[in-house]
Amino acid sequence: MRHTRILARVGAALALVVPLCAGAVAAWAAAGETIFTEHFSSPVGGLPPGWTGSGKIVTDTGYGEPRSLRIDDTSATSYPGARSKLIAVKPESFYDLTLYTHTDHAGDGGVIRVIVEQFATTPSQAVGDRIGLRWLDIPVTRTWRLNTLNFTTAGRAASIRIGLYPAYVGVEHQGRAWFDELTVTTAASATDPLLDATGDPVTVSSVVNDPQPMSPGIFWNRMPEAPADAAVSERSLWSYPLLRRHFLALNLAMPRVVRAAHDTMEANALTTSKYVQAPKTGDVITPEAQRVVAKDIRYRPIVSPHPYNTGKYTPVYYPRRTQDYLADDVEESLLPVMTLTGDAAFTARAGELVAFLRYSQWTADGDNDFNRLEYPAEFTATPAYRGGWDSMFNWRWLDAYGYTWKLHEPDHHVNADVAKAMVRAFELTGDRTGLDAATEFVTHQIPRYGWHTGLWQGKRYYWTEYNPSGGTNPKLDATDNVQALVARAAAMVGHHRQDRRMLEYARGLLWYCVREWVSDGRWYYDGAENPMNQRAAISHDMAVLIPLLDTAAYLLKAGVGLDDALPTLTRAYEYYQEARVHEVGKSPFRAAPFNRIHDGQGAKLAPEWDGQAWKVTAFFTANRAGTGLTVADVPPALSPAGSLPGTFPVTVTKLIPPQSTTGEWTAEEHTFTATPDQLRAGVATGLSIQPGDLFRLSYRVPGEPGAWTSMPTAAFGFRLGNETRTVRTTVPSPAFPTVATADTYISLASRLSLPGQASLAIG
């Protein structure tokens, strides 16, 4: 009878204590099945059966009758609390937890906290790793207070554990609290507001969730068209400081590094790679065996375990992440160095890997040449995979959200990276098949992952699921980096196809990521729609930021205004520029690419013979504000007859971008007279710098025509507060000369980093 009376009171009071976000259901969902209840009646002086931790059942007070659980926190170094036994739940289901609390003193500023931990293990199994977390902070009150926590279980959740703490948020807080009438019931729907990673509400409205795979016609026709703003499309992309500071540079050392990486992979090539395990040294894949060429597969792709350095998920070789060897800013990427050098070997190898990606793409009739010919025993024609690539799964993987990936199944966020590589191949080679392949992917694979949208700050956002949608698949699996990767693919294809629905989807995915950053102050792994969000996992921040920068460039090129998003992207960029976002052992490190471009980027070109002397040129793109710019270089001795004059002019030019696509760069020249020793030590220019500023150092030295054999780096220094910062340039290798000159530096950076010209004739 007591339990029935309490439930009636709970039902009457719920609407008064639950904060609702805009767009949330105003009426409380009908009470469902009670899956757990604890009256804290016995044993007096101890904890209920199965509970652990601190606290005891007392008889001096209670909500309905004078019995309740009292927990005292007198520790300044820990959080005393009581934890329930494991309670069975269903995955991706909605629950309401209700509980009465009170205290007889306010302690020293802490709060009462109720925590719900989620586990993939059942109550009959040992507790495994926590896969989800929700909590409720309760103000301290001297009278009994009804509290409600609404939560949604994760895709793999099989049990929960409830924790009760009297004085939380800072171990220095102390106090005691009483707890009574703890109940968990099923709910008909999610009635809790959208919460960020710290548990604070995120106000959204007009939310529509349709978690099912759709035909491309239904999905894309459901999308509005992004407006085209001529003022945006006619503005030079280099006029945006954020794009200049990140993209306006050339890494002239890349050709040598890429050649060395691919030579190593060729030297360790496998005649037989299929179903072969990579050798290990301890827990690490032997370095020379981590990524190797497979001679037994058409187009000689690069195969690796996964991850390539540990084989944690699978130690078996497979052609995965081929896109990284084509169009990523890493030491193996061929398309950038092909463009920088015009080298035939780079061009041929890039062509092989692009051909392999065409070979491994699923077709309209569900065929896949790579899967069918190379792994025939594992091939099944699957039309639903149309446009995707067989690029990862040679093992069946149960992911953290509860979906098991099938052998050879495409996943759209990794495949979105493949689409990027194919579009870049089209832009840099003119081969339209790359764009066609990427279009197939965006058109047919994205609709498999459900339709999710809403309004935040009055503007529409979209999000796409981590796993294919529909049926019993996980559906509450929003992940920040997935939104960014898919946004980039949609923006790139939308730009070239002039498809304003794809552009709108890319814009809305970007807006979702802006919402996540504003809400959380960084990009955690999970999104707010994901019940695992409050684990605040840190791992893929750069896999959000870098794709969003690309996405922004393509949207702006297509005339999609981003005035609302660019300030947040800039703040996020500067946060990660400073933040040491991961921990390796006890040594924090700055995530790539900021380990390389923290203060700026520089490149020193190969010396150019102008008919009378050697011209030396170096460029510097600033990535922060500073004062007192200095330039330093070692003047080369380029021929036996060459001799350096006692003094010579050194010119430092600030290059100012045009505001429109038809405008010209302008120059502010500052010329100084320096001795060779002064240039080696650093010439003070007196100039200040701002993020995105581009400077050119140039001077001439006498000599004779001939070949240069080596070249030291140049250095650009500046003052940042009381510190002196120095950025050293990359330099080319004589063995891998580049086509970069003082006149082509900016155009090459544009070609390598910014959207290619839209192809008007492409339908």
Side-chain angles (χ1 to χ4, degrees), residues 690-721:
Q690 292 296 323
D693 281 353
L694 176 64
F695 293 91
R696 181 181 63 210
L697 163 68
S698 58
Y699 61 93
R700 298 167 74 247
V701 294
E704 295 178 354
W708 58 280
T709 57
S710 65
M711 182 170 53
T713 62
F716 293 82
F718 59 91
R719 297 289 296 172
L720 182 65

Side-chain angles (χ1 to χ4, degrees), residues 78-89:
S78 64
Y79 289 115
R83 292 176 297 279
S84 74
K85 60 187 178 183
L86 292 185
I87 303 163
V89 293

Side-chain angles (χ1 to χ4, degrees), residues 10-12 14-15 18 20 24-33 94-96 148 150 185-192:
V10 170
L14 286 178
V18 179
L20 294 175
V25 179
W28 189 258
E33 175 190 0
F94 309 118
Y95 293 92
D96 305 330
T148 301
N150 322 118
T185 59
T186 59
S189 61
T191 54
D192 53 321

Side-chain angles (χ1 to χ4, degrees), residues 17 118 135-136 164 181 239 264 347 357 447 475 627 634 650 736:
V17 298
Q118 301 183 27
W135 67 81
L136 176 67
L164 307 176
E181 296 303 330
S239 69
T264 299
T347 302
L357 289 176
K475 303 171 185 66
T627 59
V634 178
V650 174
F736 302 101

Side-chain angles (χ1 to χ4, degrees), residues 526-558:
D526 308 296
E529 287 77 3
N530 193 321
M532 297 176 70
N533 186 40
Q534 286 182 288
R535 64 178 175 166
I538 296 172
S539 61
H540 284 61
D541 305 59
M542 292 300 102
V544 184
L545 176 63
I546 303 307
L548 289 185
L549 295 175
D550 291 327
T551 301
Y554 279 84
L555 289 174
L556 292 167
K557 181 75 171 179

Side-chain angles (χ1 to χ4, degrees), residues 176-230:
R176 63 180 179 178
W178 286 260
F179 303 84
D180 203 1
E181 296 303 330
L182 170 61
T183 303
V184 180
T185 59
T186 59
S189 61
T191 54
D192 53 321
L194 204 62
L195 301 179
D196 64 21
T198 61
D200 292 328
V202 179
T203 302
V204 296
S205 62
S206 302
V207 174
V208 177
N209 291 308
D210 194 354
Q212 60 176 317
M214 300 178 186
S215 70
I218 291 175
F219 182 90
W220 292 111
N221 286 327
R222 197 171 184 175
M223 195 80 58
E225 295 189 356
D229 187 336

Side-chain angles (χ1 to χ4, degrees), residues 455-739:
L455 297 178
W456 177 70
Q457 294 190 355
K459 296 181 175 65
R460 184 157 299 283
Y461 64 84
Y462 306 96
W463 66 271
T464 181
E465 297 175 34
Y466 184 95
N467 304 291
S469 191
T472 59
N473 295 351
K475 303 171 185 66
L476 302 173
D477 50 0
T479 307
D480 286 357
N481 78 92
V482 171
Q483 317 312 316
L485 291 165
V486 173
R488 176 168 61 188
M492 295 178 83
V493 173
H495 161 65
H496 284 293
R497 294 292 187 185
Q498 298 186 31
D499 189 317
R500 306 216 65 86
R501 288 185 170 87
M502 290 182 182
L503 293 169
E504 164 64 11
Y505 193 55
R507 183 212 58 77
L509 292 170
L510 184 150
W511 189 238
Y512 177 96
C513 293
V514 169
R515 188 201 78 185
E516 288 288 285
W517 199 90
V518 170
S519 300
D520 291 336
R522 70 176 301 156
W523 282 302
Y524 293 109
Y525 186 76
D526 308 296
E529 287 77 3
N530 193 321
M532 297 176 70
N533 186 40
Q534 286 182 288
R535 64 178 175 166
I538 296 172
S539 61
H540 284 61
D541 305 59
M542 292 300 102
V544 184
L545 176 63
I546 303 307
L548 289 185
L549 295 175
D550 291 327
T551 301
Y554 279 84
L555 289 174
L556 292 167
K557 181 75 171 179
V560 180
L562 296 177
D563 288 348
D564 51 358
L566 286 175
T568 297
L569 289 184
T570 301
R571 287 195 298 272
Y573 188 88
E574 291 173 346
Y575 169 82
Y576 289 111
Q577 183 182 11
E578 297 303 325
R580 297 179 180 270
V581 296
H582 300 297
E583 294 284 337
V584 177
K586 294 184 178 179
S587 300
F589 74 98
R590 187 170 286 111
F594 292 115
N595 57 341
R596 180 172 55 82
I597 62 172
H598 182 228
D599 293 322
Q601 304 179 69
K604 182 179 176 182
L605 307 182
E608 298 177 52
W609 177 254
D610 65 6
Q612 296 180 330
W614 287 97
K615 182 180 179 181
V616 180
T617 305
F619 288 88
F620 167 59
T621 304
N623 206 10
R624 60 176 68 251
T627 59
L629 177 67
T630 62
V631 294
D633 195 18
V634 178
L638 289 163
S639 71
S643 61
L644 293 174
T647 62
F648 51 89
V650 174
T651 300
V652 177
T653 305
K654 181 179 180 180
L655 298 167
I656 302 170
Q659 290 299 303
S660 73
T661 55
T662 58
E664 300 289 338
W665 286 74
T666 57
E668 292 180 358
E669 287 194 354
H670 305 268
T671 300
F672 309 87
T673 299
T675 67
D677 287 343
Q678 287 173 333
L679 182 57
R680 291 187 186 97
V683 175
T685 69
L687 300 174
S688 296
I689 63 173
Q690 292 296 323
D693 281 353
L694 176 64
F695 293 91
R696 181 181 63 210
L697 163 68
S698 58
Y699 61 93
R700 298 167 74 247
V701 294
E704 295 178 354
W708 58 280
T709 57
S710 65
M711 182 170 53
T713 62
F716 293 82
F718 59 91
R719 297 289 296 172
L720 182 65
N722 294 323
E723 297 181 56
T724 297
R725 299 290 180 90
T726 301
V727 174
R728 292 204 165 271
T729 63
T730 62
V731 294
S733 165
F736 302 101
T738 74
V739 297

